[in-house]
Amino acid sequence: MECRHLLNNIVLQPDVSDRWQWYLDIEEGYTVCGAYHILTTQVSPLVDLTEDLIWHKQVPLEVSILAWRLLRDRLPTKNNLLRRGIIQVESIRCMAGCGHDKSTSHLLLHCDIFGSLWQHIRPWIDVSGDDPHSLCDHFIQFTHYIDDLKTRQYSLHLLKNYR
Amino acid sequence: MGGSEDNRKIPWIAWSSICLRKKYEGLGLREFNLALLGKWCWRLLADRGGFWYRVLVARYSEEAGRLEVGGRSVSSWWRGITKIRDKVGDTEGGWFTKRVARKVGDGTNTFFWYDRWLGDVPLCRQFSCLFDLAMNKLSTVANMFSLGWEEGGGVKLEEEVVGLGGGDSSGV
């Protein structure tokens, strides 16, 4: 139904041929210069920022490793297991039965069942807020909620138990 | 480092510092390499006329308008390209795929299920239950349109099959 709803407003233009578009330059298409710009300005500063949070002396090593794998999408989620040929495509659905593929961001943020846990965790550490859409933002937000290092360690422990 | 005017030497610099972003006084080499490889990803989609593309088809073979990844023993150049091309999602790897999409005109050259032409992900991922049941997975947008997607058309038929298939219509 949802699929048909999406298609409802689509009208084909008989005289125009299909073509690829690069969002940063709709007319000319891909440029190395434009791509370099987004790669150096938007993407990794966040990742750089997380480095210090992940590899903090006060954080237990196994927690650091888990966080590192999380942000590089190296956790053995079903999606990643499928990619490595360990499971078959039929068993890729999320355990919660919500019908989505079990990717890292689905599992930790967008899943109705598992993702909603964050809202329950917040009261424990006495903060309030919304969940950002990207894992990286989420990670940074959660670690910055609290300046107190003990609590920060605690939230990383929570993350660990999330496994 | 350096050397005198008539006795030039190669200045050695640590790989890690060359890879630093420019603002940290590096060359941003890693990102530059990605941007150059991204150009190939773009040409794989938009500029297939050349001989180079036929060479790649012969080496890696093509399915549904897409070259295969080709297992483990491929060149690091090709591995780099397929990594960029196939990486989706909000993590750092998805920078290419989330900025490229098919602009549909008459729909004759766009795969209904595989190409990303509507929404953020290809329809085969967004509606994977429907896709599993689709009889012709290589339908073009024009094919599907001519079957009609309002009443009794290709999409509707397949939706009904999903409904009858018992319970697993949550993705629809």
Side-chain angles (χ1 to χ4, degrees):
Chain A
M1 232 97 77
E2 197 189 320
C3 179
R4 228 186 320 155
H5 185 72
L6 261 180
L7 293 166
N8 260 344
N9 299 322
I10 304 289
V11 179
L12 300 182
Q13 299 161 281
D15 308 324
V16 187
S17 49
D18 303 343
R19 63 191 185 92
W20 287 100
Q21 272 184 342
W22 175 246
Y23 286 174
L24 299 181
D25 191 335
I26 302 281
E27 291 309 312
E28 299 296 317
Y30 187 93
T31 59
V32 173
C33 172
Y36 182 68
H37 184 72
I38 52 163
L39 281 168
T40 46
T41 51
Q42 291 174 15
V43 188
S44 290
L46 281 175
V47 175
D48 290 346
L49 223 119
T50 56
E51 296 284 288
D52 295 340
L53 294 171
I54 296 174
W55 305 109
H56 196 288
K57 261 188 271 179
Q58 306 267 355
V59 176
L61 185 61
E62 54 173 347
V63 176
S64 296
I65 291 172
L66 180 84
W68 183 85
R69 292 175 79 191
L70 168 76
L71 293 177
R72 276 168 180 66
D73 197 16
R74 291 295 190 276
L75 288 175
T77 56
K78 287 190 171 182
N79 264 14
N80 286 344
L81 291 176
L82 175 74
R83 206 158 46 94
R84 287 162 195 276
I86 295 165
I87 57 167
Q88 300 302 309
V89 71
E90 300 84 53
S91 48
I92 199 178
R93 303 268 152 229
C94 177
M95 307 280 281
C98 51
H100 287 90
D101 290 359
K102 198 164 182 179
S103 66
T104 311
S105 65
H106 172 73
L107 177 63
L108 281 136
L109 297 182
H110 307 304
C111 177
D112 291 341
I113 310 281
F114 301 125
S116 63
L117 285 175
W118 293 111
Q119 288 303 342
H120 298 297
I121 291 171
R122 283 196 180 84
W124 296 353
I125 52 177
D126 209 18
V127 291
S128 60
D130 268 333
D131 290 322
H133 285 295
S134 93
L135 275 172
C136 208
D137 294 346
H138 197 280
F139 180 84
I140 291 170
Q141 187 199 61
F142 240 82
T143 41
H144 276 112
Y145 269 148
I146 349 96
D147 289 327
D148 176 21
L149 220 95
K150 251 191 174 159
T151 339
R152 180 173 298 177
Q153 246 182 304
Y154 180 58
S155 62
L156 282 169
H157 267 297
L158 284 176
L159 196 71
K160 179 184 105 183
N161 295 331
Y162 221 37
R163 183 160 37 173
Chain B
M1 298 270 269
S4 67
E5 194 60 32
D6 31 83
N7 181 22
R8 284 181 167 270
K9 287 181 184 165
I10 298 169
W12 292 94
I13 300 171
W15 177 246
S16 54
S17 46
I18 286 192
C19 287
L20 286 176
R21 296 282 167 76
K22 274 189 178 162
K23 67 177 169 189
Y24 306 120
E25 311 199 331
L27 297 174
L29 212 60
R30 191 179 149 269
E31 286 80 10
F32 189 56
N33 191 43
L34 285 176
L36 290 170
L37 287 174
K39 179 82 180 186
W40 284 107
C41 293
W42 172 253
R43 295 187 67 198
L44 282 176
L45 297 170
D47 183 20
R48 298 177 173 186
F51 187 67
W52 67 277
Y53 190 79
R54 279 158 50 207
V55 171
L56 288 179
V57 170
R59 170 65 179 85
Y60 298 109
S61 83
E62 188 184 37
E63 195 166 331
R66 185 175 163 284
L67 289 167
E68 300 285 338
V69 176
R72 286 173 187 274
S73 57
V74 300
S75 76
S76 59
W77 172 78
W78 182 245
R79 204 177 310 131
I81 287 173
T82 50
K83 233 185 215 168
I84 296 172
R85 181 193 67 173
D86 297 338
K87 187 84 186 181
V88 290
D90 351 300
T91 45
E92 56 175 329
W95 66 271
F96 180 82
T97 41
K98 74 176 179 196
R99 293 189 175 83
V100 66
R102 194 91 172 130
K103 169 87 179 150
V104 169
D106 62 7
T108 54
N109 262 316
T110 300
F111 289 113
F112 183 83
W113 294 109
Y114 293 108
D115 288 335
R116 186 187 149 204
W117 61 281
L118 183 65
D120 292 336
V121 290
L123 295 178
C124 66
R125 287 178 63 102
Q126 197 176 349
F127 302 104
S128 48
C129 295
L130 276 181
F131 173 69
D132 287 343
L133 291 157
M135 320 262 195
N136 181 6
K137 302 200 190 311
L138 294 176
S139 292
T140 62
V141 174
N143 287 155
M144 293 298 268
F145 185 73
S146 66
L147 290 168
W149 44 55
E150 283 95 35
E151 291 300 312
V155 175
K156 173 129 187 292
L157 269 177
E158 275 153 14
E159 275 187 354
E160 278 168 357
V161 175
V162 175
L164 292 171
D168 196 17
S169 51
S170 46
V172 180

